[in-house]
Amino acid sequence: MSVGRANANTLRIRDDRIAAHHVRIERENSRYVLEVTAVDARTTLNGAQLQMGERRPLNDGDMIGLADLEFRFINDRSGVLSRLWVVAGVHRGKAFRIENAEVQIGRATDNDVQFPDRSVSRHHCRIRRRGEIWWIEDLGSTNGTIVHGTPLRTPQQLQHGDEVVAGFSKFLFQEGDRPLVNLRLESLPPCN
């Protein structure tokens, strides 16, 4: 998995402080390794400065610093199909496990994931798995569902690491046990 500002990365971070191809995370046997791929970009692992070409093993919970941004490496192998990591809004800091091939998100209590927030519609959006592909669709919500800054008009394929906004809430989609590099919650501005 490559991380950087360029479109070709597996995880694209749209921030000028991030190098076009900043780091790569690779699986080696039973562990993950972080490799610095940017020449003059600041990269740290748990506060220690890393140099271009340097490779370090990653452990669950390690803090990766890219320029002035901090990310937490998460490698949870509990067998759930996917997770929603809430990074802004009423459930900020929580992770919702998705154990079924379909999950409905909204304000009403009959949803699988409930966001008790008036900016989220009663039945806001649905995420479902068909075969090996995850899809997300808006359910006619008032404020819409936004994936990477683009409002959904029709069902769209949901990719590992995609950022989804529903009302004032924002979450990252994690597929299976794939590692997810997510924003450190403490660095996020408070939600209005």
Side-chain angles (χ1 to χ4, degrees):
M1 154 177 189
S2 59
V3 181
R5 194 179 65 247
N7 287 335
N9 289 289
T10 311
L11 177 60
R12 181 177 180 216
I13 303 171
R14 296 178 180 118
D15 189 310
D16 290 338
R17 296 173 289 180
I18 303 297
H21 302 281
H22 208 111
V23 295
R24 181 178 18 244
I25 297 172
E26 295 177 342
R27 188 172 189 162
E28 289 183 351
N29 300 318
S30 62
R31 68 179 188 164
Y32 287 93
V33 175
L34 174 73
E35 179 182 0
V36 180
T37 54
V39 177
D40 291 326
R42 184 172 183 272
T43 307
T44 60
L45 179 60
N46 297 321
Q49 180 75 32
L50 302 178
Q51 303 301 318
M52 163 73 172
E54 194 168 347
R55 296 170 55 85
R56 293 281 179 91
L58 286 171
N59 297 304
D60 192 41
D62 278 351
M63 294 303 297
I64 301 168
L66 306 180
D68 296 326
L69 304 175
E70 285 191 296
F71 302 83
R72 184 178 307 278
F73 176 78
I74 298 168
N75 181 21
D76 184 352
R77 298 170 173 255
S78 60
V80 298
L81 295 176
S82 64
R83 284 186 176 72
L84 306 177
W85 293 88
V86 184
V87 295
V90 68
H91 286 310
R92 180 177 159 159
K94 285 188 179 179
F96 290 95
R97 297 162 48 120
I98 298 177
E99 297 174 338
N100 298 313
E102 184 173 319
V103 61
Q104 187 165 294
I105 300 164
R107 190 177 72 241
T109 58
D110 63 340
N111 287 288
D112 301 299
V113 176
Q114 183 192 16
F115 283 87
D117 177 343
R118 305 242 355 122
S119 71
V120 176
S121 293
R122 291 179 47 73
H123 299 103
H124 201 99
C125 62
R126 177 182 302 125
I127 297 173
R128 71 174 75 177
R129 185 176 178 180
R130 291 193 177 141
E132 296 299 311
I133 299 173
W134 288 94
W135 295 86
I136 184 167
E137 66 179 307
D138 185 78
L139 298 175
S141 65
T142 302
N143 292 322
T145 303
I146 300 167
V147 178
H148 282 305
T150 304
L152 288 180
R153 305 273 185 251
T154 60
Q156 175 180 319
Q157 190 172 343
L158 191 61
Q159 303 286 331
H160 175 74
D162 276 353
E163 177 185 277
V164 178
V165 176
F168 292 134
S169 294
K170 181 190 303 183
F171 57 86
L172 299 176
F173 176 75
Q174 177 189 12
E175 186 176 2
D177 65 354
R178 292 178 61 191
L180 180 67
V181 178
N182 70 317
L183 286 170
R184 183 176 175 183
L185 298 174
E186 296 84 352
S187 67
L188 293 171
C191 183
N192 295 331

